[in-house]
Amino acid sequence: LASELRSLAGGLTSAPRVYVDANIPCGVVTAMRRELGWDVLFVLDDPALRRAPDRDHFVLALDLGRTLITLDHGFLDDRRFPPGCSPGLIVCSAPDERALMRMIRYADRAIFRASNALQPLRGQKRSLTLDVLAADATCPAPRHT
């Protein structure tokens, strides 16, 4: 049933479909939805998912055909979360919400919008850091005024 619903849901929108765990700030989730136009399943919106174990989030994101976005580095453990079984995973390392939003905009441009695939990272994990952003000439550091 999940695979049938995944293909149906994917055809309804061309927006990136993501599964965001509880450690992403609400302001960033709002920007994902409003500024970037993403289809976001945010675990804090569903009381049944709020306290679910990481493994459940990983499996549910895969079942729903959504890329999992988190700040939790535990998802980088390949023994617990094998890349081949990954729904597509982005683990961000940001010192603050402003830097996290830069990473999310980078993911929008360089990962989601650059691909025609519904799940461009399926079977992969990406770790986004400030170093990744610094290496990308199209993602300048914010100006301090």
Side-chain angles (χ1 to χ4, degrees):
L1 178 62
S3 62
E4 291 175 24
L5 291 176
R6 180 181 327 124
S7 62
L8 177 64
L12 297 176
T13 180
S14 63
R17 300 181 71 242
V18 298
Y19 185 107
V20 179
D21 76 358
N23 57 29
I24 300 290
C26 292
V28 173
V29 173
T30 298
M32 288 174 177
R33 290 173 171 157
R34 292 185 184 161
E35 177 187 326
L36 301 175
W38 290 7
D39 178 350
V40 179
L41 187 158
F42 184 35
V43 301
L44 291 183
D45 292 342
D46 186 336
L49 296 175
R50 287 178 181 217
R51 299 221 181 261
D54 290 346
R55 183 78 186 148
D56 290 358
H57 294 306
F58 188 80
V59 170
L60 188 55
L62 179 64
D63 286 348
L64 296 174
R66 292 176 177 268
T67 301
L68 177 59
I69 299 179
T70 183
L71 292 169
D72 184 345
H73 290 103
F75 282 101
L76 294 174
D77 181 345
D78 289 346
R79 289 173 287 131
R80 288 184 59 213
F81 304 101
C85 298
S86 171
L89 180 64
I90 298 174
V91 179
C92 298
S93 298
D96 55 39
E97 197 167 316
R98 184 175 178 183
L100 179 59
M101 261 321 296
R102 283 183 58 222
M103 289 175 192
I104 296 302
R105 287 186 190 103
Y106 169 83
D108 182 62
R109 184 185 73 259
I111 297 170
F112 293 111
R113 305 296 178 180
S115 171
N116 291 329
L118 290 175
Q119 283 183 279
L121 295 178
R122 184 158 182 174
Q124 301 175 48
K125 296 180 182 185
R126 293 274 176 90
S127 179
L128 292 185
T129 64
L130 292 177
D131 292 339
V132 169
L133 298 183
D136 184 340
T138 64
C139 193
R143 293 183 187 149
H144 297 287
T145 57

